[in-house]
Amino acid sequence: MASSEEDGTVEEKENNNKKRTKSALVTAWLTFYNIAMTAGWLVLAITMMRFYIQRGTHKGLYRSIARTLKFFQTFALVEVGHCAIGIVKTSVIVNGVQVCSRIFMVWFVTNSIRQIQNEESVILFLVVWTVMEISRYSYYTFSLLHHLPYFIKWARYNFFIVLYPLGVAGELLTIYAALPFVRRSGMYSMRLPNKYNVSFDYYYCLIIVMLSYIPLFPQLYLHMLRQRRRVLHGEVIVEKDE
Amino acid sequence: MKHYEVEILDAKTKDKLCFLDKVEPNATIGEIKSMFHKSHPQWYPARQSIRLDPKGKSLKDEDVLQHLPVGTTATFYFRDLGAQISWVTVFLTEYTGPLVIYLMFYFRVPFIYASKYDFTTSKHWVVHLACMCHSFHYVKRLLETLFVHRFSHGTMPLRNIFKNCTYYWGFAAWMAYYINHPLYTPPIYGEQQIRLALIIFLFCQIGNFSIHIALRNLRPPGSKTRKIPYPTKNPFTWIFLLVSCPNYTYELGSWLGFTLMTQCLPVAFFTLVGFVQMTVWAKGKHRSYLKEFRDYPPLRSPILPFIL
């Protein structure tokens, strides 16, 4: 009797230990990830500033940071995985939509359409993204280390109020600038006849992407506003259920 | 006979919405819903969710008052399910759309293709065959909705009709546009491919219909009972030995046949999306069979024998 009781508690202790090491591993990984991303975006910010100070122009700036940007922005896909397995409490869909729109802007617009890489709108969204990501990742890092300076929390939940709309403007203006080049080159498009009996026009696809900002952006913005009220002012927000 | 008193509170605000006195002990939830409807005519019974606990599960219409864990003054909580629409209406609307839309593309109604093609017909016989198969499929679905299916739920939320119709009508238009296009390319392997595809399609249509009939015969008219389906004398039902939801298996087969017949990527895409959705439904149904019946045959998989 006594031994089986002991076995029971030993097993329990083992399970608890497993859970503790698992959550310690998870915390270690998340801390490393967020420090790495903060560092990455800081490097981007510094490189961009140095370029502008040294050259006095934004022409060629995108090309100089392209590789670093592609690396760190693509790596952010990992975050969708974090949400999916539940180690981060954000919804997969919210995070997924944000990461996908970033990946789309980087790989399918700015990177592949060279003629628009020197547009001012590109610099606009790059600056916005850099500031947002540095404040977001440093917020996560400090939260995980349980030492969150108030100004980081303040930055994370207030900068977006101005930066989100500015970022959207930069992105939309860039896509709009790219349209004539897409039409002329027929890139990423497929015409009839072909053996798959399908066609795809990247030009109209981009227009649909631009239109999709209309329903999507307000939802993300309002979501952030609700988060802000909850985190900064401790308000309990009753979400619409179903 | 002791009568019950029933009070109905709003599940969110806890406001007293209705008080019924002298309720028979053998009254059902359905009857209580009708009484509630009299005092609140905007909430017809189908949109009422009555529960014992504000956050609990809905009570069924068949539940009897005296068999519920309540005292002689029963407190129920009410939640508005929103505007409801009958399943039959939704099915009829969502299936008539693809039927009509596909035919519009088939007959090349103006403003779809270049005007020189208006009201012309395709020179490929597979296009005519595809039209017949697609139309047959949706006519079959409409007739089954009217004469075969026995629905356990009467209604669903109104917003579902918009979601469902967008899906069915949208995909029908997308597929029909390419299949009936003047620049359509017929299947690479020609007659062999089309013949094989047609056999698969017809086989699965008959299979799907056989399963619907078998499921209907499990349930006496007007009842909502659930029983384990078993193979019957019809060989098309022998798949019940291996699969819980063979109607979805056959449906997947039909669309694979149609994809092969038309060799059209949008059709393949529609088949894939449908398969994902049907797998989700099949897994849910399989799980509820396992929960409800202790002696459920262990060999069965939800939708694909041994695989899924």
Side-chain angles (χ1 to χ4, degrees):
Chain A
M1 267 287 227
S3 60
S4 64
E5 259 181 75
E6 257 183 9
D7 283 341
T9 48
V10 164
E11 241 189 73
E12 241 184 72
K13 271 203 189 129
E14 271 183 26
N15 272 335
N16 278 336
N17 274 331
K18 276 197 203 129
K19 282 193 205 144
R20 254 182 257 134
T21 34
K22 215 165 125 198
S23 86
L25 270 169
V26 164
T27 315
W29 160 253
L30 285 176
T31 314
F32 164 75
Y33 174 79
N34 285 300
I35 292 179
M37 294 303 269
T38 314
W41 286 93
L42 270 168
V43 164
L44 267 170
I46 294 169
T47 316
M48 284 178 15
M49 284 191 284
R50 276 178 56 189
F51 184 97
Y52 192 77
I53 291 170
Q54 283 175 355
R55 310 277 188 95
T57 174
H58 64 272
K59 302 219 188 292
L61 187 149
Y62 175 79
R63 284 241 67 83
S64 72
I65 52 127
R67 213 176 314 152
T68 320
L69 173 71
K70 280 190 278 191
F71 178 78
F72 284 99
Q73 188 59 80
T74 311
F75 205 67
L77 278 170
V78 166
E79 282 167 56
V80 186
H82 292 166
C83 298
I85 57 179
I87 58 180
V88 168
K89 295 286 179 286
T90 317
S91 114
V92 176
I93 300 184
V94 170
N95 193 275
V97 167
Q98 289 178 309
V99 173
C100 280
S101 80
R102 291 291 186 86
I103 304 264
F104 180 76
M105 272 313 296
V106 169
W107 286 98
F108 293 99
V109 181
T110 324
N111 194 58
S112 42
I113 309 171
R114 288 178 152 255
Q115 300 93 325
I116 49 110
Q117 283 170 2
N118 288 322
E119 292 279 322
E120 287 78 7
S121 53
V122 172
I123 307 303
L124 175 58
F125 76 72
L126 282 178
V127 168
V128 163
W129 289 7
T130 315
V131 175
M132 300 265 301
E133 298 303 67
I134 293 175
S135 52
R136 184 166 76 96
Y137 287 117
S138 53
Y139 172 82
Y140 292 148
T141 309
F142 285 110
S143 302
L144 284 161
L145 296 171
H146 300 297
H147 273 294
L148 182 60
Y150 184 74
F151 86 90
I152 301 252
K153 193 199 286 196
W154 188 93
R156 200 255 151 136
Y157 283 106
N158 278 300
F159 280 178
F160 80 90
I161 299 178
V162 171
L163 292 181
Y164 251 37
L166 280 180
V168 165
E171 291 170 31
L172 286 176
L173 284 168
T174 308
I175 301 176
Y176 185 72
L179 287 177
F181 300 107
V182 168
R183 177 152 244 186
R184 219 177 303 148
S185 69
M187 67 189 294
Y188 297 149
S189 300
M190 200 157 146
R191 297 173 125 220
L192 290 175
N194 62 73
K195 65 179 172 185
Y196 302 109
N197 289 308
V198 69
S199 64
F200 182 74
D201 194 335
Y202 192 51
Y203 177 80
Y204 290 110
C205 174
L206 284 178
I207 293 186
I208 292 174
V209 166
M210 285 176 74
L211 290 173
S212 72
Y213 274 74
I214 300 177
L216 290 176
F217 167 69
Q219 286 188 49
L220 282 171
Y221 196 63
L222 289 171
H223 173 82
M224 281 304 289
L225 282 173
R226 277 195 295 258
Q227 295 286 85
R228 176 178 179 274
R229 279 210 300 254
R230 189 172 55 84
V231 171
L232 291 185
H233 301 304
E235 272 185 45
V236 175
I237 311 289
V238 176
E239 298 274 335
K240 242 199 325 196
D241 32 77
E242 280 182 21
Chain B
M1 185 167 46
K2 237 167 119 188
H3 286 272
Y4 279 69
E5 294 178 329
V6 171
E7 61 167 8
I8 302 183
L9 310 177
D10 184 298
K12 280 200 222 141
T13 63
K14 312 288 192 296
D15 291 340
K16 214 182 275 208
L17 295 170
C18 177
F19 186 82
L20 306 162
D21 60 354
K22 296 231 181 26
V23 182
E24 310 267 317
N26 61 3
T28 61
I29 293 292
E31 287 164 1
I32 292 174
K33 281 186 184 174
S34 305
M35 293 190 257
F36 185 46
H37 175 45
K38 287 210 189 76
S39 61
H40 292 268
Q42 76 275 26
W43 289 325
Y44 42 88
R47 71 189 276 180
Q48 294 177 31
S49 163
I50 302 289
R51 25 176 96 174
L52 290 165
D53 180 87
K55 296 203 180 116
K57 265 177 61 177
S58 262
L59 294 169
K60 299 202 201 105
D61 280 5
E62 303 81 53
D63 289 340
V64 176
L65 184 57
Q66 61 183 352
H67 297 149
L68 293 168
V70 290
T72 45
T73 305
T75 305
F76 292 120
Y77 292 92
F78 160 78
R79 212 155 170 270
D80 182 13
L81 295 170
Q84 298 284 300
I85 186 166
S86 81
W87 272 63
V88 174
T89 311
V90 173
F91 271 35
L92 291 178
T93 321
E94 68 189 16
Y95 296 155
T96 310
L99 186 62
V100 170
I101 290 172
Y102 193 102
L103 288 170
M104 282 171 46
F105 283 87
Y106 175 75
F107 289 115
R108 294 193 183 149
V109 150
F111 300 109
I112 301 177
Y113 305 112
S115 52
K116 67 177 173 182
Y117 296 113
D118 288 351
F119 297 117
T120 55
T121 46
S122 173
K123 59 184 178 199
H124 306 290
W125 68 274
V126 67
V127 172
H128 308 299
L129 181 64
C131 182
M132 288 189 270
C133 289
H134 188 270
S135 307
F136 171 78
H137 178 78
Y138 281 102
V139 167
K140 168 179 160 292
R141 285 213 201 182
L142 285 167
L143 293 174
E144 284 172 341
T145 305
L146 290 169
F147 301 113
V148 177
H149 294 314
R150 292 213 169 107
F151 297 99
S152 11
H153 303 283
T155 67
M156 65 166 87
L158 183 64
R159 73 181 98 89
N160 275 16
I161 197 175
F162 300 110
K163 194 169 46 107
N164 290 12
C165 285
T166 307
Y167 171 78
Y168 277 104
W169 297 18
F171 262 115
W174 195 38
M175 297 193 292
Y177 175 78
Y178 289 107
I179 300 172
N180 299 295
H181 200 284
L183 296 176
Y184 171 76
T185 312
I188 319 179
Y189 295 106
E191 208 155 305
Q192 280 181 314
Q193 184 172 338
I194 299 170
R195 197 173 299 140
L196 174 63
L198 181 62
I199 293 171
I200 296 174
F201 179 80
L202 288 175
F203 183 87
C204 292
Q205 289 288 285
I206 300 173
N208 179 268
F209 181 70
S210 308
I211 301 299
H212 286 158
I213 294 290
L215 289 172
R216 170 198 168 83
N217 291 336
L218 277 184
R219 190 175 263 185
S223 86
K224 292 183 184 179
T225 51
R226 270 193 295 276
K227 297 207 283 234
I228 304 179
Y230 282 106
T232 68
K233 292 206 194 78
N234 183 341
F236 285 98
T237 64
W238 296 352
I239 191 177
F240 268 121
L241 290 167
L242 298 174
V243 164
S244 290
C245 302
N247 49 323
Y248 295 144
T249 318
Y250 281 123
E251 184 71 16
L252 171 67
S254 299
W255 286 106
L256 283 173
F258 193 68
T259 309
L260 191 65
M261 188 191 297
T262 55
Q263 200 172 289
C264 178
L265 199 58
V267 180
F269 203 68
F270 177 65
T271 308
L272 179 65
V273 176
F275 174 58
V276 169
Q277 176 65 88
M278 289 192 290
T279 304
V280 169
W281 289 336
K283 286 194 158 188
K285 188 101 215 165
H286 184 78
R287 225 175 298 134
S288 49
Y289 275 144
L290 288 172
K291 238 200 270 181
E292 193 166 345
F293 303 109
R294 297 265 124 164
D295 54 339
Y296 195 71
L299 192 60
R300 294 192 191 181
S301 311
I303 186 172
L304 293 178
F306 309 115
I307 309 174
L308 203 52

